[in-house]
Every structure is written in C-alpha cells, then in structure tokens.
C-alpha cells in the first residue's frame, strides 16, 4: 500500500496563510501528476489544484490567485501554499497522486484546514 504523508493543516483566521505538504514514495513521485482536493462538510470532494510531472500547475477558479501548487522532486513532495484564506476554504484537504496513463492513483489521509475568526 502506497502511503502519502500530508501535513500542514490547522486553524487560521480569515486572510491568513497555510502551507500544506504531501510526501510520496520516490519511486512513483517523479513521473506522476499530483493534485490537491478538498471536501467540506456536507459537500462532495472537489478538485483544488494540480501539477503535472513536468511542473505545470492548474487551479480551480475558486482558488486561482490565492493558492499555489508546487513540487520538489528532490524531496518527493508537493506543496499547496494558501494565502488570503476565506471561511469557505474550510475543508479536509486531500493529496492525490496519479501515474502516467492512470496506471495508479493514491490518496493521502487528509488534513483539516479550518478558517475561523
């Protein structure tokens, strides 16, 4: 079983910042696309951001300009830098790794992000 290790969630005030991290096994990380999803209470899981194996990022409209996804292939880690956080960003955030041609796909355990005053 492949394990993705997430960290960085927490409680933050509106307008604040957090950085999420997700570490994956090196043998699958380098050639995989990475993504972040989130699920708020009572809502379906939604895609937030993704980054290709080549480092090209994409974002959901709701986070564009506020969130930045990046990857460090030397550390087998993907990051999600979140700034200007809003109440509606409150959710459990999940890391996703997908191999070429979808040969494999794994999820992290989730990390809670709570934006509250």
């Amino acid at each position: 079983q492949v394990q993705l290790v997430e960290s960085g969630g927490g409680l933050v005030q509106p307008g604040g910042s957090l950085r999420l991290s997700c570490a994956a096994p090196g043998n699958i990380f380098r050639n995989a696309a990475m993504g972040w999803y989130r699920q708020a209470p009572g809502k379906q899981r939604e895609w937030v951001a993704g980054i290709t194996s080549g480092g090209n990022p994409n974002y959901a409209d709701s986070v564009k300009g506020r969130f930045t996804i990046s990857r460090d292939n030397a550390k087998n880690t993907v990051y999600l830098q979140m700034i200007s956080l809003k109440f509606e960003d409150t959710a459990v955030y999940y890391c996703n790794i997908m191999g070429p041609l979808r040969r494999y796909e794994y999820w992290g355990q989730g990390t809670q992000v709570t934006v509250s005053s």
Side-chain angles (χ1 to χ4, degrees):
Q1 182 68 22
V2 172
Q3 186 175 11
L4 304 182
V5 181
E6 299 179 22
S7 60
L11 174 64
V12 64
Q13 292 185 339
S17 302
L18 282 174
R19 189 178 78 156
L20 307 182
S21 301
C22 173
N27 61 322
I28 63 171
F29 180 85
R30 188 172 300 274
N31 295 319
M34 302 295 297
W36 288 96
Y37 291 71
R38 67 186 181 187
Q39 188 167 18
K43 294 187 177 181
Q44 290 188 333
R45 188 174 298 188
E46 64 174 355
W47 174 77
V48 174
I51 188 165
T52 66
S53 58
N56 295 314
N58 282 288
Y59 302 95
D61 288 343
S62 59
V63 306
K64 202 170 292 183
R66 299 188 299 120
F67 290 10
T68 302
I69 188 170
S70 61
R71 62 190 296 158
D72 185 336
N73 288 343
K75 296 182 178 179
N76 303 319
T77 299
V78 63
Y79 304 97
L80 186 67
Q81 178 69 51
M82 306 182 292
I83 66 171
S84 303
L85 283 161
K86 305 176 181 180
F87 292 119
E88 52 263 42
D89 295 319
T90 295
V92 178
Y93 283 70
Y94 296 91
C95 176
N96 173 274
I97 183 170
M98 184 177 297
L101 302 178
R102 298 196 173 196
R103 285 201 295 266
Y104 54 84
E105 182 177 18
Y106 302 102
W107 292 89
Q109 79 282 4
T111 185
Q112 177 70 47
V113 172
T114 301
V115 184
S116 175
S117 55

